Structures are given as C-alpha cells and as structure tokens.
Amino acid sequence: MAAKWDIVVHETQHILTSFHGGFSFSHQKREIPGLKHVVKTVDPSHYPEDFFLSQLWLHAFHCLPPGSLCGTTGVCPPIASFDFFPGRIDMLIISDSSYFIYNAVYAVAHALHKMLSEQIEKGSPGDAAQPRILPWQVNISQNRTLTEHLLASSEFLPGNVDMMTISDTSYLIYNAVHSLAHALHEILLEKMKKTSLQAANQTLLLPRQGNLITQRTAQILCEVFGTEQMNIIPVGASAQVLIVIKEKRWLWKNYQYVLAFRFAIQEINKDPQLLPNLTLGFQLYNSVTSGQFTLRSTLHWLTGKHHLIPNYTCQTQGKTVAIIAGTTSAFSAEIGTMLELYKTPQITYGPFDPMLSERDKFPSLYQMATSDSSLACGMLSLLLHFGWIWVAIFVSNDMKGEQFLQDIEAEMVKKGVCLAYSVKLPDTKSRYEESEISFLEGIQIASANVHILYGDVRGLYVVEFLSKYYLTLGKVWIMATKWEIVVKETDHMLHSFHGGFSFSHHKEEIPGLNHFVKTVDPSHYPEDFFLSQLWLHAFHCLPLGSLCGTIGVCPPNASFEFFPGRIDMLTISDSSYFIYNAVYAVAHALHKMLSEQIEKSSPGDASQPRILPWQLHPLLRKIQFTNSAGEDVSFHETRHHMPHYDIHNIVNFPAGFRLLIKIGEFSPECARGEDLVLNEEMIEWPVAFKETPQSLCSQRCGPGFRKMPQEGKHVCCYTCVVCPERDISNHTDAEQCIPCADHEYPNMERNRCLPKLVTFLAFEEFLGMALACMALCFSVLTAAVLWVFVKHRDTPIVKANNRTLSYILLIALLLCFLCSLLFLGRPNTATCLLQQIAFGLVFTIAVSAVLAKTITVILAFKALKPGRTIRRLLVSGTSNFIIPICSMIQLVLCGIWLGTSPPFIEVDKHSEHDYIILVCNKGSVTAFYCVLGYLGSLALASFIVAFLARNLPDTFNEAKFLTFSMLVFCSVWVTFLPVYHSTKGKVMVAVEVFSILASSAGLLGCIFAPKCYVILIKPDKNSLKALRNQCTCRRP
C-alpha cells in the first residue's frame, strides 16, 4: 500500500489483521534530531493548557500527573511516557504527516524572517514600531518570481491551498470527462447519419429535464459512472455533467411513495365517475434533507427552468394545482412559507405535527395524518400489560417531541410508571457536542430495559454515529416513528430494534395496490430514472425498455415481491397510505369544483374551465369521502379524536431482511381492559431475552411482601418488606398489606388467609389427657385414703386428729381433684358457671378444714386444766363451726359474682396464630380475685396458726404437717398468679388446672401421707399400748 499508515490504522481498524505481512511505501525522510527525545519526555504537566494531551494521557495510563489540566488523577506508573505507550499506537515512529508539519512550520518561520528583514531594511532608522504582517505577504515572500508566474496562469489560487499537486481524484475525474466526451462525440456522429424520425425513436425524455438524450448515451452513462455517482442536467443544446464523487445513500423504501402515487393516479384516470374527460398529470421531485436543496427544488418547480427566477414561471403547460409533500414537519414548514405566497395547497403525508395545524401560520397546509392524542395511552397500555414500569424515553428535540414527553409523563404518573431518564435527540449530524452523546454510555448499563422512541427519526443520526460502540441488544424499543426512515437512517443499529414494537395508525388494505407493486418494473415507466436506479441497485440488471436499456440478465423472479436485501416493499407504510388518500382528496376536490363550474357556465361554452390552486381550499376543508379500503377521509378538525393504532413487532432475519409483523391493536374507544388486544404467541423478543423481559427499578415484591418507598427516589424504586404477622398481600407489588379477619390467619407465605380451627383444652389432646389422668389418679388416691381412714377409724391416729375434720378434708380434696375436670373439654354455659364457683367453694372447704384442724390442735394442748374456757370450747366442738362459717362467706362472694357478672363462653381469636380457642371468660375479674384473695387469706391464716403450733408436744401432733402443707399450698398459688397472667388461651386454662391439682396434691400428701404410712406400714405404732410406752419413755 501507499496510503498514509496512520490513517489506515484508524479507518480500517476492523481489518488490520489482513494487512499483516504486507508492504507500505512512504516518502524517504531523515530523522529530525531531538524530536524523539521530546516525544519520550513530554507529559501533560509540560503543557497544562493542552486538553487533548491530558485526554490522551488519561485514556492510555488512567492517570494524570501534577500540574496537568485536570489536576492529579490516580497514580501514574514510573514508565508512563510515550516511549511505553500501551495499545496498538506507536508514538515514536514519526509519520509522513508529522515530518511535513515540522517542515511546514519551518517554512512559515523562514518566510516570516525574510519578510521582516525586508521591512526593517525599508523602514526608517527611528521607526521602532512592530511591522504589520498580512497573510498574503507570506506567500509572496517565499518566492516572488514564482508567484508572479502563477498569478499569470490559471493554476494559482490565493491562500495556503496547494492546487499544483494533482490528486488521484482529480486525475480520475479528468479521465472520466474525456471518456464521456468521446462517448458523446461518437453518439452525435451516429445521430447525424440517421433521419430525424429514426433519431426520435432512439431517444427518450428524461424526467424534469426537457432535453433529449439518446438511449445509448444513457446506457453508457449508467455503465461507466454508475447510477449512484452521476446526474445529467441538460441545458439547451449542451450537456452539463455533474459528477458527485461521494456515494449517495438512498432511502429506497421511500420509492413506495411513488408507487402508491402512480397507482392512485392510474385508478383515478381509469374511473369514469371521478373526473370524467379529465386526465390527471403529475411531476415527481426528489426531496433532500437540506434546507438549501429543499428550497431549490421548490423554485425549480415554480419557475420551470434550471435557472432560478423568483416570481416568474417559464412553464408552457398548465400549472400544478396542489402539492403532496412533507416527509418531515421541517420539510413541510420550509416549503410551506413559499407556497403560501401562491396559495397553493400542500397536503402532507408525514407524521402529524400540531405546529402545522396552526391556521394563522400555515393556512394552505393540510395533514393527512391524524393527531397522536391517544398514542401515549396506547404505549402506557402496552407497558402495563407486560408490567414495564421503569422506562426511558427518547424524543426529538422539537415542539412535537416536547409535547409528547409532557403527555406521556402525565399518563405515567397516573398509571404508576416511572421515567428512568429522558433524552432529547439532536437533529443534526454535522457535529456533536459531548453532552449530546454522553447518554449513549448509560444506555447499555441502565436498568431500564424498555426505551420509547418518538419524533423526528433523523435525530437518530447521533445514535447511528456511535452504535457500533454502544450496542443496545438488551433493550426493547417502542417507537412511533416512520419505520421506512428508521430502516435507512439507523442502518448500523437496526439489530438493536429487533424484538421491539412499532405503533402506526390503523389502516385497511388498499385493493389492488399490492398487486401493482408486485408487477411493476422499469419497462413500465422508462422515463422514471429512480425506478431504473432502484432496479439496477437491487437486481444488477435492467429489463428491455427501461431508461438505460437492457443491462445484464434479470432473474425470472425479479420483482418487488422478491426484493433482495432488507427492504420490504410490500408492507404498505403509513406515508404511502396517506399519499394514496391525498391524491384522491385532490381528485374529489377537483371533481366538485369542476362540477360547480360546469353548472354555472352556459350550455354552449365547451372550453376547459380554468383551475386555480387557491380555489381548492374551501373544497379541501369540507371534503369527505370513503376510500377504496372503506375508511372515511376528511380534513375536518373534528375527525378522529381517538385514532386506532396497529401494533407491529420488529423482526430481523439472519439474511438482513427486516419485517414488521402485526401482533395487536389499540382502540381507545373500547372499554378499559378491552382497548389493547395482543397475540403474545407471535411476539419475537430481543436476543438478550429468552422470555418476556422485565423493566423495573427494583425487583417486584411478590405476594406476602409490600412495597416501602425509598426516600429521595422514584416511587418505582422501593424495597420489599414482609407483611406483619397477621397481615397478607395476595398480589405482586402490594402497596399495603391486608389484615386477615378475626376468624382467619395468614399462611406461612402470608399471601392467603386460612380459616382458623376451633380448639379448646380437649380430653383428646396430650395436655388435656395428661391433666385428666392426673385428676383421676389423685381422685382415686384420695378416695383410697378416705377408705383407709374409714376402715381404721377407731385407731388412735385417726381419732387423735379429729376424725370428722379428716373426713371433711378428704372429701373436699376429692372434689377439688374432680372439679379440675370442669376446665377440660368443650366449654359451655354450665361448665363456665361451675368452674370458678366449684373451685372457690371446695377449696374454701378444704382450707377451712385445715384451719379447723389446726385450731383443734391448739385448743387440745391449751385445755389441759379442767374448768378452763378453752377446754369448754374444745368439748363443745367449736372448731367444727369454722368450716360452715368460712364456706358461707365464700358462697356469698360467689353469689355476688354470679349476680353481677357471671362467667361466659369466650372465643379467643388472638392467643394462637391459627386457632380459635374456646375458653370460659371469668366475667368479672374483680370477683375472681376476690374469691381467690379470700381463699388466700384463709390459707395464710391456716399457715400462721399451724406454724405457731408446730412445736406442741404429743405423739400424733400433726401441726408440723399442717404447716408444711399450707406452705406448699401458698407457694403453688403465689407462683400461679404471674404465670397465669403471662399465658393465654389453652395454656392459661392448663396452668389453672395444674395449680388446682398441685395444691390439692400438696394438701393430700403433706397431711395424710404420714398417717397412711403409720396405719399401713407401721400398724404397731397405731395402738394404745405403743402410745403408753411412748409416753412412759418421754417422762423424766
């Protein structure tokens, strides 16, 4: 190669491996002394004002030394210099361009030195002012003789442009012009030899040119220069050749506009009912995305000549009455101002723009597209259908994009969808500021997987510019732009749109249009230069009868139905549909106007009525008709307030072919829930997703959790919190948890309420069975003790301890054990009433019996001397009245309890998580503690009396046993109180039953166990003889 290697490295970066082992030619140059040393030692601290040096250093070494433009950043390695520059860039090999720059600086310096020397020599000795230097003086000072020679020739141009070095491109243009001249010369010689009739048969009329070029000439031009590199503009008898070196990028999909336009014209001209005896003519102009070329094309159309003469028309035929134009709003606005001078109607087929609807600015402009008033609702319905609540929005940087952004943000707030970020796309491709492209770095790493694209798609130039570096494969795009432009303008990033969605206005199929597109070819319209160009580009051939004649051999299936590449010509775009309707709208307006003129004219007047463009305005504003697809078309302001949208899925096939597949519809006029219809089985998702993608700021909170907003963040950014113990959430992303009803409880996942089971301390469960067995065992044991005492009632030990009180105590203990069974089983009104009353009465009898026994012992030892009062009390059986008196007091308390607030059945729904417990509510807690307090006071009195009588002497003195038994009794019930208050439900009932059993068993064991031991195990001690012997031994 002989190219500039430093440029080859950058421009052909992806194919550098192919150049390995090749050769490169460059100009011979000597090494510049000291230059490599400067390159090795330079760093950003030497030139802090140099932004690019700091940026290069930071890119290479990820650091900046002290004193640089941005200050110290990171820690630079010791070898940080261009001598050890990382990557594929070699900064020490001096390139040709660097060598030439070095020489160029010295050339300018020498010229300045020589010029200043001459000015100093010419100046006066006392003039010390700085000589003034003009740029052109530098050129002259370099070589005055050479400059004088150049000024006399056409090879010199002022400035610092070198026009003497002939470039490769100039050389090719020179040869191309000579070849074309020879071809034209040969053709003209052949033409002169033939008759005028033959020449007319061999020529054809190029569109918009008005000049005859032979068919062979056109063929040579197509073959030699290529249809994408040349345009011929004939003027008079000469032929000017305009060669465009830069390759043009054509929007071939837009040629469908021409096909729809031609089809509508042909239908109207064949229709005997519409515009009879009148044939519609037309002119086609190519619009270029440049204000300068747009205005130039408009002036070409207005003047009818190549030379632009404003306010003059050189057309010999009739004037055009309407213009159908406007791919973009900017294009329509640019030509609309000029067309307004002539009151010429302009019907646009581009997207709807509210700015163009302002009648005071554009009174002669009509938009075929309807308003996008419900587009935001349609997109929000799609987002909510898939649960996408975290989205990014890209809009064009114009009023239309701003209005859409405001509308959709308002809808998003209502529906709970959050905006991750929004980007206004710049509308120029010439230069980019850093702020305009900085958003691309965040697209790939952003958490928003859904991107909405709206507005003028030419703003996507910036996306195209860096698409190869910032791929967005993992994103779902939802767009409402013109797809046919998207295909071309974003060609490098179309892979990013795979699996996206496109909204377009609903349209029915136009009968016959698809067949027309399938069968058309360049031989049908030989004057159409662009059709031949498109055909040659696609199939590399041209059929017989086309503009450039037969070229190559076309395949049998050469048609738009089997169009190669990524262009789908059979999917009718919105713009093509609008163009079809626009042509019919003009035709209907013309038909009505001509009908009115014919009705007003005299019967003998057969002249063609004159049609002026401004006459169509009143008719176009009122026009209303139904097209062949069955859709109503009009320009009335009240039309289609709620447009119907088709939803397409964007699918890219491996061969580069791209297709829009209709997968659903959105109709805002339907009821909520029925407005969006989707066929999800037909949806093709982006390659990064194997299932329906999610677009969330935070992961969804499943059932059983609720959302908790994060301070300072969007409402869509939240944390998930488990529902409280008795609450549930049965759907995803619940705002609040729902408490279960009292008769229900949440399951383990807390996403469903389950009915609680009714339970109680039943005999069947383990705890109830254990307590019942204990009660029965102690009851049997008590009955056995009573039997023993009855059987040995005449023994000294039974008599000595007041046999009657022992019987009463044993019977009371038996009833105590049995009353505990009232607390077990399913509660009812009777058991609830008997539980506390029976417990209070029988325990009062038992404790009062113990108290009576203790008092009896004391009276027995205090009544040793006859005649004393205490002896009379003992003999009269005063202690036997203690039991009825104490029991009567307890009975009164229980009666008051039952009379004021008796116990009742309570449904306890809160003690246990998943059960409803049936318990007996005590009714009056005060009455319960009064009964319990009275019982406690009796026990305390018994304990004190027994404690005082513990040391009284006698063989069968049971005061010690009574003291210990009451100590156990009091300990049990003192322990019972805190435990009872700390439990609920069945456990609380079990604690009370256990306390009854424990206290009763304490009385039984402590009082009667020693006596039973003597009666059953040591019967020899239970006799009168043993008693006398024991008494004899104790005497001194």
Side-chain angles (χ1 to χ4, degrees), residues 25-168:
F25 282 79
S26 62
H27 291 278
Q28 183 182 14
K29 53 186 179 292
R30 297 180 180 179
E31 182 176 352
I32 301 175
L35 180 57
K36 282 191 176 181
H37 177 73
V38 172
V39 174
K40 291 180 180 180
T41 58
V42 72
D43 65 42
S45 64
H46 296 166
Y47 305 98
E49 72 281 0
D50 193 340
F51 168 77
F52 295 101
L53 179 57
S54 297
Q55 194 174 25
L56 175 61
W57 204 268
L58 188 61
H59 169 76
F61 302 104
H62 306 289
C63 67
L64 284 176
S68 58
L69 175 64
C70 302
T72 305
T73 302
V75 180
C76 293
I79 60 171
S81 67
F82 286 126
D83 194 11
F84 302 94
F85 199 82
R88 61 172 67 91
I89 304 174
D90 187 1
M91 300 295 288
L92 296 183
I93 297 179
I94 306 303
S95 64
D96 292 352
S97 297
S98 302
Y99 186 82
F100 295 152
I101 290 173
Y102 177 89
N103 291 335
V105 174
Y106 266 91
V108 174
H110 281 289
L112 287 172
H113 180 77
K114 185 175 182 180
M115 181 183 68
L116 293 176
S117 300
E118 292 176 356
Q119 289 184 357
I120 292 174
E121 291 176 0
K122 295 178 181 180
S124 60
D127 188 6
Q130 181 67 32
R132 186 181 181 186
I133 303 173
L134 299 177
W136 57 268
Q137 293 176 325
V138 179
N139 289 329
I140 298 175
S141 64
Q142 288 186 11
N143 194 329
R144 190 177 303 276
T145 305
L146 178 60
T147 302
E148 292 175 355
H149 172 73
L150 293 176
L151 289 173
S153 67
S154 60
E155 298 173 342
F156 175 78
L157 290 177
N160 50 5
V161 181
D162 183 11
M163 300 298 291
M164 298 299 297
T165 301
I166 306 301
S167 65
D168 295 342

Side-chain angles (χ1 to χ4, degrees), residues 815-816 819 822 833-844 894:
L815 294 176
C816 287
C819 79
L822 294 174
L833 292 174
L834 289 175
Q835 279 179 5
Q836 305 301 332
I837 304 301
F839 160 71
L841 287 176
V842 295
F843 263 86
T844 300
C894 292

Side-chain angles (χ1 to χ4, degrees), residues 780-951:
V780 172
L781 182 61
T782 304
V785 172
L786 179 61
W787 177 79
V788 170
F789 267 62
V790 172
K791 183 178 180 181
H792 299 85
R793 60 185 177 276
D794 295 327
T795 60
I797 197 169
V798 175
K799 289 181 178 181
N801 292 283
N802 199 330
R803 183 172 48 190
T804 304
L805 291 178
S806 296
Y807 293 159
I808 294 174
L809 180 58
L810 286 172
I811 294 172
L813 290 177
L814 178 62
L815 294 176
C816 287
F817 288 124
L818 292 177
C819 79
S820 64
L821 298 177
L822 294 174
F823 292 85
L824 303 178
R826 187 182 186 93
N828 53 58
T829 305
T831 56
C832 287
L833 292 174
L834 289 175
Q835 279 179 5
Q836 305 301 332
I837 304 301
F839 160 71
L841 287 176
V842 295
F843 263 86
T844 300
I845 294 173
V847 174
S848 60
V850 173
L851 180 61
K853 287 175 69 66
T854 307
I855 292 175
T856 301
V857 172
I858 294 175
L859 292 176
F861 283 96
K862 295 294 182 182
L864 296 176
K865 295 179 179 181
R868 296 189 63 177
T869 305
I870 296 177
R871 182 178 178 83
R872 288 195 296 268
L873 291 176
L874 179 62
V875 174
S876 61
T878 305
S879 59
N880 296 331
F881 294 99
I882 295 176
I883 297 175
I885 294 172
C886 294
S887 301
M888 187 61 65
I889 296 174
Q890 186 71 282
L891 186 62
V892 172
L893 292 176
C894 292
I896 296 173
W897 184 4
L898 294 176
T900 56
S901 180
F904 58 90
I905 301 175
E906 181 186 12
V907 180
D908 185 4
K909 302 177 180 178
H910 307 291
S911 297
E912 295 193 22
H913 175 70
D914 49 356
Y915 290 98
I916 296 176
I917 303 175
L918 295 180
V919 294
C920 289
N921 189 290
K922 297 172 179 57
S924 176
V925 178
T926 304
F928 169 74
Y929 284 109
C930 287
V931 170
L932 200 61
Y934 176 72
L935 185 61
S937 62
L938 287 179
L940 183 61
S942 300
F943 172 74
I944 294 173
V945 173
F947 181 78
L948 294 176
R950 69 187 184 283
N951 293 322

Side-chain angles (χ1 to χ4, degrees), residues 160-339:
N160 50 5
V161 181
D162 183 11
M163 300 298 291
M164 298 299 297
T165 301
I166 306 301
S167 65
D168 295 342
T169 304
S170 302
Y171 183 78
L172 294 175
I173 292 176
Y174 175 83
N175 292 336
V177 172
H178 271 273
S179 300
L180 178 61
H182 284 291
L184 290 173
H185 179 72
E186 181 181 353
I187 294 169
L188 291 175
L189 289 178
E190 293 179 2
K191 184 177 180 180
M192 292 174 61
K193 296 177 182 179
K194 299 180 180 180
T195 62
S196 58
L197 179 61
Q198 292 174 336
N201 291 335
Q202 292 176 351
T203 60
L204 56 92
L205 182 64
L206 289 180
R208 297 178 292 139
Q209 307 300 326
N211 202 47
L212 297 178
I213 299 293
T214 63
Q215 184 176 5
R216 184 178 176 186
T217 303
Q219 180 175 348
I220 293 175
L221 299 181
C222 292
E223 292 177 347
V224 174
F225 291 97
T227 55
E228 295 188 2
Q229 293 182 329
M230 188 185 67
N231 188 15
I232 303 176
I233 308 177
V235 180
S238 63
Q240 290 185 353
V241 180
L242 176 62
I243 302 177
V244 183
I245 301 301
K246 185 177 179 180
E247 179 184 0
K248 294 183 179 179
R249 297 178 62 191
W250 297 93
L251 300 178
W252 292 118
K253 173 68 177 179
N254 286 0
Y255 189 76
Q256 190 186 80
Y257 304 167
V258 180
L259 298 177
F261 182 79
R262 288 185 179 276
F263 178 72
I265 293 290
Q266 288 185 11
E267 274 193 340
I268 293 171
N269 289 336
K270 294 178 180 180
D271 190 351
Q273 303 298 326
L274 185 61
L275 293 178
N277 302 324
L278 187 66
T279 302
L280 285 181
F282 61 90
Q283 293 178 332
L284 293 176
Y285 286 84
N286 185 24
S287 62
V288 185
T289 56
S290 168
Q292 177 184 358
F293 285 100
T294 299
L295 295 178
R296 179 178 295 179
S297 298
T298 307
L299 288 175
H300 274 303
W301 169 73
L302 291 172
T303 60
K305 287 290 184 179
H306 178 68
H307 297 289
L308 306 181
I309 309 174
N311 206 30
Y312 283 87
T313 178
C314 302
Q315 298 185 35
T316 57
Q317 298 180 355
K319 295 182 179 180
T320 303
V321 295
I323 289 181
I324 301 174
T327 305
T328 62
S329 302
F331 180 87
S332 301
E334 287 172 356
I335 69 173
T337 304
M338 184 176 295
L339 294 177

